[in-house]
Amino acid sequence: MTTTATKTLEATLVPPTTGKEQRLERTVATYRRALENAFESGADTQSAVNDVVTPYTLTSYAKDALKNYVPQLRRTYNASELEDDHPVRFTNRGFRIDHSDEREHEFCWRVPQAGRGNAFWIPLRINPKQESLWFDLFDEDETVGEFRLQQHRTNWVLHVTVEYDVAEPETLDDPTRIGFDIGESKLLTGCACQNDTPTQPYICDGGRARALRKEMFTTLKRLQERDAAEWRIDERFDHYQNALTDIVEKASREAVEYAKSFEDPVIVLEDLSYIRENLDYGKYMNRRLHAWAFARLTKRIEDKALEAGVPVEFVNPRYTSQTCHECGHIGSRGSQAEFKCTNAECWVTEYQADINAAANIAGRFDPWGESVPWKPERDDSPRNGCRCDTATGHRTPSRQSRQTTLAVFES
């Protein structure tokens, strides 16, 4: 069997003429008004969004993209507000490029515009490392997904999602389950479970990412308070986002390499549809600060695992950081890094908290499908101090009664 993998190509538009730039700006302004009105109307179905966006002077490709995207903002991302720099999204039906090696900029993109005959062509500056994929798109050897246009201070950027088929990794009957926990103190913690025993954990420290996020919030807030020029705010935001992207790419690459070091691995991640973040940095920055760590890192791990032939499974994250991976009892966390089991009969006394959570995530996946599925509408509260109602079920005691203490992983 095959499944669909995705990559995102990026190209910068060659500086357009005054007339073309005005048309691009009108498209962006109209799209954002339609998005804002659809979101504020509370529309949560494609039909409801369609009723709102129909009067706007946009192509059907942009309207169809809005009909898909607006319901996701609330259902998937739990958004309570909109960012102010949303790109213009188009469905793949509207994508066209042209190529000629006789031009200075060999690839050109046909910019969709409302009204028959109003579309126009504009040259692209592509990333040379992605040239082969641009040729594949031109030759229609690969499938285009959604594409997005975004305006920056000095340029316009086109992002194109490329979809291609890869062999779907199969989960074996007795795989090595590898759970990953994403957090603040430790950006990413991996733990392989062999014979129900945590083995050779992997930790990617989150200090650098956390410092960047705090610095980004402080800097952008200060610029806003000083009424700094919009281009200056955008420039600093792009700087921090690029730095965070580098961290995400490195962490996701290391995570898949860690998984591949085990025999017959299956990566187990938390299902993001259950995650509700509690941090509050203010209206302007909330979604920008929060979305990157969970959604982006999870997606990059999934994409890279797919390319590497490693299967990925998702489980409910409820109580993974609060329960003991060994006996399933509710424990306590004396500090961000320390987990203590409250069950007097359990050999676990203290444990590195993120590794404990990663072990719980790994243990929650059952390759035989015998686990009780977690449902958000159910009452999953532990009863009598145990997890007998959870997806992990009953487990035999570990053969190795050794502690994973804090000192080993303190940075």
Side-chain angles (χ1 to χ4, degrees):
M1 296 180 63
T2 61
T3 187
T4 301
T6 62
K7 283 187 177 180
T8 300
L9 307 184
E10 179 177 302
T12 301
L13 276 60
V14 171
T17 63
T18 300
K20 289 183 177 180
E21 183 155 39
Q22 290 175 348
R23 296 169 70 182
L24 291 173
E25 290 172 345
R26 283 198 297 269
T27 298
V28 171
T30 304
Y31 178 91
R32 289 178 178 170
R33 286 198 302 270
L35 171 61
E36 181 178 1
N37 287 343
F39 182 79
E40 292 183 350
S41 72
D44 58 1
T45 65
Q46 292 192 7
S47 177
V49 175
N50 183 67
D51 292 339
V52 176
V53 304
T54 294
Y56 286 89
T57 308
L58 293 169
T59 65
S60 61
Y61 318 125
K63 292 178 180 178
D64 287 345
L66 282 170
K67 288 188 286 186
N68 291 327
Y69 182 58
V70 173
Q72 291 179 0
L73 283 172
R74 296 191 185 280
R75 293 180 180 178
T76 304
Y77 303 114
N78 195 37
S80 58
E81 61 189 65
L82 288 174
E83 297 177 7
D84 57 3
D85 60 350
H86 270 281
V88 179
R89 297 169 183 264
F90 301 92
T91 56
N92 60 353
R93 293 186 301 107
F95 184 77
R96 284 185 60 186
I97 58 174
D98 183 55
H99 175 266
S100 172
D101 55 13
E102 296 180 359
R103 292 191 292 255
E104 178 184 0
H105 302 286
E106 298 183 7
F107 285 94
C108 285
W109 171 50
R110 184 176 181 268
V111 183
Q113 295 283 281
R116 183 180 297 273
N118 290 333
F120 59 90
W121 292 89
I122 195 163
L124 299 176
R125 293 171 175 164
I126 67 171
N127 182 343
K129 295 181 180 179
Q130 298 177 337
E131 185 179 47
S132 61
L133 282 173
W134 284 100
F135 275 110
D136 288 341
L137 289 181
F138 177 69
D139 295 333
E140 299 184 351
D141 293 334
E142 303 291 359
T143 303
V144 178
E146 182 183 76
F147 59 101
R148 305 182 299 278
L149 172 68
Q150 188 155 21
Q151 182 181 17
H152 293 290
R153 180 176 67 90
T154 59
N155 53 38
W156 295 81
V157 178
L158 175 68
H159 292 96
V160 182
T161 300
V162 181
E163 300 178 349
Y164 56 98
D165 292 334
V166 296
E168 184 172 8
E170 294 185 6
T171 302
L172 302 180
D173 290 339
D174 190 21
T176 302
R177 295 168 295 180
I178 301 169
F180 284 102
D181 177 64
I182 301 173
E184 286 287 318
S185 176
K186 306 300 180 185
L187 175 61
L188 187 64
T189 303
C191 185
C193 285
Q194 296 178 320
N195 298 321
D196 286 335
T197 300
T199 304
Q200 300 177 26
Y202 155 82
I203 290 182
C204 175
D205 186 71
R208 174 60 177 162
R210 188 169 62 254
L212 280 171
R213 292 172 68 181
K214 290 182 178 179
E215 183 181 338
M216 177 170 66
F217 165 69
T218 302
T219 301
L220 297 184
K221 182 178 180 180
R222 185 180 299 116
L223 288 172
Q224 281 189 309
E225 291 173 346
R226 295 177 179 176
D227 292 326
E230 184 177 348
W231 67 264
R232 189 177 296 278
I233 296 176
D234 290 342
E235 185 179 69
R236 296 310 298 166
F237 178 74
D238 289 343
H239 164 76
Y240 290 116
Q241 284 292 80
N242 290 336
L244 291 171
T245 296
D246 290 341
I247 293 174
V248 167
E249 290 299 309
K250 179 181 178 181
S252 57
R253 181 178 65 253
E254 290 180 352
V256 175
E257 291 174 353
Y258 167 75
K260 290 174 62 179
S261 68
F262 296 92
E263 185 176 357
D264 301 328
V266 56
I267 291 176
V268 188
L269 300 171
E270 293 178 321
D271 187 343
L272 293 180
S273 64
Y274 295 102
I275 288 180
R276 296 295 182 266
E277 298 178 73
N278 298 317
L279 296 177
D280 186 2
Y281 285 125
K283 179 178 179 180
Y284 179 74
M285 291 303 299
N286 265 351
R287 279 184 45 75
R288 283 183 169 181
L289 285 173
H290 296 174
W292 82 271
F294 293 103
R296 194 185 305 178
L297 184 51
T298 297
K299 185 65 169 62
R300 294 306 293 149
I301 292 174
E302 184 181 11
D303 288 343
K304 292 180 180 180
L306 190 61
E307 292 180 4
V310 178
V312 178
E313 301 289 344
F314 291 87
V315 297
N316 190 300
R318 182 170 289 184
Y319 301 123
T320 54
S321 64
Q322 303 173 36
T323 52
C324 175
H325 71 274
E326 176 57 33
C327 68
H329 277 65
I330 291 292
S332 64
R333 296 182 67 164
S335 67
Q336 178 67 28
E338 179 187 55
F339 173 85
K340 291 184 178 180
C341 182
T342 56
N343 179 11
E345 298 180 1
C346 180
W347 61 264
V348 174
T349 54
E350 70 172 24
Y351 217 83
Q352 209 285 337
D354 300 302
I355 297 176
N356 178 72
N360 279 326
I361 293 169
R364 197 157 284 180
F365 170 65
D366 180 3
W368 296 280
E370 297 174 355
S371 300
V372 178
W374 285 65
K375 298 181 180 179
E377 63 270 15
R378 285 183 50 191
D379 179 9
D380 290 313
S381 311
R383 302 188 179 103
N384 300 323
C386 70
R387 281 190 305 179
C388 58
D389 297 326
T390 74
T392 50
H394 299 287
R395 297 173 58 181
T396 57
S398 171
R399 298 176 184 175
Q400 300 182 27
S401 58
R402 58 184 177 87
Q403 303 283 353
T404 302
T405 59
L406 304 180
V408 178
F409 293 98
E410 286 179 343
S411 57

